[in-house]
Amino acid sequence: MGGGDYMERRARAGARLSPSARTAKIKGVLDAAMKSGNIAAAISEAGADLSAQDKTALQALTSSELRTMASVQQKLTRIRGGERAGNNNNFY
Amino acid sequence: MGFDDFARAYTGFFKVLTLELGLKCPITCRHCCYNCSPDRVEEVDSEIMKSAIQQFSEIETSEIVALTGGEPFAYPGLLETALEEVTRFPRLKSVVISNGFWATSQEKARDTLENLPPIHQLCLSTDVYHNEFIPLAFIKHAILACEALDIPMFLEVCIEPEDSFQGTLKKALGNDLYERTFRLSTSVQPIGRGMDLNITPKRERNNVLWDSCFMAGSPFVLYDGTVVTCCNCTRLRGMASKSMSDMCGSPLEMGRISQSKLQDIFLEMNKDMILQALRTMGVGGILKLLAETGTYPKGGPSYSHVCDLCIALLTDPHIVSRLRGLLTSQSYVEEIALKRAYYYGEAIEG
């Protein structure tokens, strides 16, 4: 019984995550990666339960893509937060 | 319901359904994106409208029915019916978008609002264009009537070509009322008469729609029952004898209330990869994808606004077909799933 078996069990567990649990995990990994800039560390800290496929997709994100995603998320947050005029980006 | 609730729902998927009651409006603003005027006779069939609201209430994500026009208050019977219908479904709230022409005095404004079924939020459009027809005193009456009746409201203020109208508004409302009234800034949309103004958007590349079109998740039902992806798609009507979806499988037009169940349209939109790419990669991402694969037409389509570009791309049968092919790639499927989870908190199966 080596670490490989453990990882396989975790990956199988990842495949069984409910859609909402999977979404929350992915969001958690991305939030952590936005803060640290290190997607690999974020996956191992916050996304161990994710499937191998999700981990590969997350790992494929470049720093530049992470920065763009963070900026889009900020804009969406501003819109959702309903900032006052003069202080907001255009709604559209 | 505060503006935040509306904005949160509007940036989600199938949480807001906008219904166009008709195209009649007592005024003819120069920037009107739907070419509305007192002469327009088009209006929704009340049975189609009721069916749309009832079907929307059965969809698990549904939260808000937004009633627009034309001018909804120019259709008092339809507006009352629509609000009554919304009230039948406890999960639904209503938002009415109006120019306030009916608020000729504070008493008249109060009577008008009091005699309707509950409005959960009123959006009043006012800006340099509306103000050519609707005095700001009417807007003040409407705001004060909303406050008296405890109806949440906000102002939608088009700030192009310039934002100097805010000063005029502040003077008309008085400092206190101005400060406590939520004001949402919007742009001139390059549709209808708005197209003729030829305004260059101020913040084209900063516009969030460039990177993620959150508006593509909130469908719009035209007065004839056609379900389109967003208000910008209203320009598609009358553009061709055949519908866009029949012509090229464009995701901008998703069917008709009389022919398809809204639940089926919801499922279709949920899995439409072009539509979801629009929501997660934006028009900019789609353009990049086309450029990388050599599909982007040389020189590119001309456009003055990100929405213009979206229409140019997604009504071109060659581009739509190419995108359908490209977006079957597993890497794009995964990118879109990750971004749906991150931006919108949407759970993806599979």
Side-chain angles (χ1 to χ4, degrees):
Chain A
M1 276 294 240
D5 291 336
Y6 172 76
M7 292 308 287
E8 207 175 303
R9 283 201 304 279
R10 293 297 295 265
R12 279 202 301 271
R16 287 198 302 270
L17 283 174
S18 70
S20 57
R22 179 186 170 216
T23 303
K25 288 270 173 199
I26 288 173
K27 199 167 180 334
V29 169
L30 288 167
D31 280 336
M34 301 300 172
K35 280 185 194 143
S36 68
N38 186 338
I39 188 77
I43 293 169
S44 84
E45 279 164 28
D49 292 348
L50 285 167
S51 68
Q53 193 182 352
D54 282 338
K55 287 178 186 170
T56 307
L58 285 162
Q59 190 83 57
L61 291 168
T62 63
S63 313
S64 156
E65 283 168 333
L66 285 173
R67 277 198 301 276
T68 303
M69 286 173 74
S71 149
V72 170
Q73 181 67 301
Q74 265 179 3
K75 289 177 188 174
L76 288 171
T77 302
R78 274 205 296 271
I79 288 164
R80 291 181 185 124
E83 290 187 10
R84 297 262 153 185
N87 193 27
N88 69 358
N89 262 343
N90 279 8
F91 192 59
Y92 47 79
Chain B
M1 178 174 67
F3 176 77
D4 294 8
D5 299 304
F6 177 58
R8 179 195 45 74
Y10 205 81
T11 57
F13 183 67
F14 239 90
K15 292 180 176 174
V16 179
L17 185 75
T18 303
L19 293 177
E20 181 183 69
L21 299 192
L23 296 179
K24 187 167 66 179
C25 180
I27 60 176
T28 48
C29 295
R30 287 183 290 129
H31 75 317
C32 181
C33 45
Y34 307 140
N35 279 322
C36 299
S37 78
D39 302 328
R40 300 297 296 254
V41 293
E42 302 91 333
E43 66 178 59
V44 71
D45 178 277
S46 69
E47 290 308 312
I48 287 181
M49 181 180 73
K50 281 159 70 178
S51 171
I53 295 170
Q54 193 223 313
Q55 289 187 53
F56 183 55
S57 75
E58 291 163 4
I59 293 174
E60 59 191 278
T61 52
S62 65
E63 292 184 25
I64 294 170
V65 175
L67 302 168
T68 187
E71 165 54 51
F73 285 82
Y75 298 95
L78 280 173
L79 178 59
E80 187 173 350
T81 305
L83 291 169
E84 258 171 20
E85 196 64 15
V86 171
T87 310
R88 284 182 55 214
F89 305 102
R91 68 181 300 156
L92 297 182
K93 305 278 183 208
S94 59
V95 174
V96 182
I97 300 154
S98 171
N99 61 31
F101 80 95
W102 40 273
T104 49
S105 68
Q106 203 183 321
E107 294 68 33
K108 180 72 180 14
R110 190 176 169 134
D111 280 354
T112 304
L113 295 172
E114 247 177 348
N115 286 317
L116 284 169
I119 293 175
H120 297 107
Q121 184 145 223
L122 183 69
C123 164
L124 288 169
S125 302
T126 186
D127 41 53
V128 70
Y129 307 105
H130 284 91
N131 191 219
E132 289 173 5
F133 302 91
I134 309 285
L136 287 173
F138 289 19
I139 300 299
K140 187 173 181 176
H141 299 147
I143 297 172
L144 292 171
C146 283
E147 286 190 345
L149 296 170
D150 212 14
I151 299 172
M153 61 79 56
F154 64 94
L155 296 178
E156 190 178 39
V157 184
C158 177
I159 58 165
E160 286 175 340
E162 52 192 60
D163 202 11
S164 56
F165 180 75
Q166 295 280 359
T168 312
L169 184 62
K170 190 173 188 174
K171 197 170 165 189
L173 298 185
N175 277 355
D176 286 351
L177 190 58
Y178 176 83
E179 290 302 333
R180 68 173 186 262
T181 304
F182 185 91
R183 304 173 310 279
L184 173 70
S185 305
T186 63
S187 319
V188 171
Q189 297 294 292
I191 322 171
R193 289 194 290 272
M195 199 183 298
D196 300 334
L197 291 177
N198 280 323
I199 289 175
T200 305
K202 288 175 182 169
R203 287 172 282 201
E204 180 58 40
R205 300 286 167 130
N206 266 338
N207 192 323
V208 68
L209 302 180
W210 184 258
D211 297 310
S212 126
C213 181
F214 64 83
M215 296 183 78
S218 293
F220 193 108
V221 182
L222 305 180
Y223 69 82
D224 66 359
T226 306
V227 183
V228 292
T229 300
C230 69
C231 58
N232 183 45
C233 302
T234 53
R235 71 168 78 183
L236 297 177
R237 64 179 144 215
M239 203 163 129
S241 54
K242 284 203 267 183
S243 74
M244 281 298 139
S245 50
D246 289 346
M247 272 174 68
C248 64
S250 172
L252 300 180
E253 190 177 304
M254 300 303 294
R256 279 179 182 242
I257 291 289
S258 54
Q259 292 162 358
S260 313
K261 288 200 167 98
L262 202 54
Q263 174 74 29
D264 293 338
I265 292 175
F266 163 72
L267 295 172
E268 202 59 38
M269 287 177 76
N270 194 35
K271 67 176 190 204
D272 189 297
M273 290 304 287
I274 298 182
L275 187 69
Q276 297 305 339
L278 201 53
R279 296 183 66 226
T280 51
M281 301 156 69
V283 180
I286 285 179
L287 200 60
K288 191 163 163 247
L289 175 63
L290 291 169
E292 280 169 2
T293 53
T295 313
Y296 185 51
K298 206 171 181 180
S302 68
Y303 71 99
S304 63
H305 188 284
V306 64
C307 299
D308 249 358
L309 177 59
C310 179
I311 291 282
L313 293 173
L314 299 186
T315 54
D316 179 327
H318 172 62
I319 288 178
V320 170
S321 159
R322 182 76 176 128
L323 279 172
R324 293 247 174 256
L326 290 168
L327 290 168
T328 56
S329 149
Q330 191 58 29
S331 62
Y332 292 123
V333 172
E334 282 162 5
E335 179 181 340
I336 288 168
L338 289 185
K339 289 182 173 174
R340 284 187 76 177
Y342 185 60
Y343 296 155
Y344 302 112
E346 289 169 4
I348 315 297
E349 299 280 352

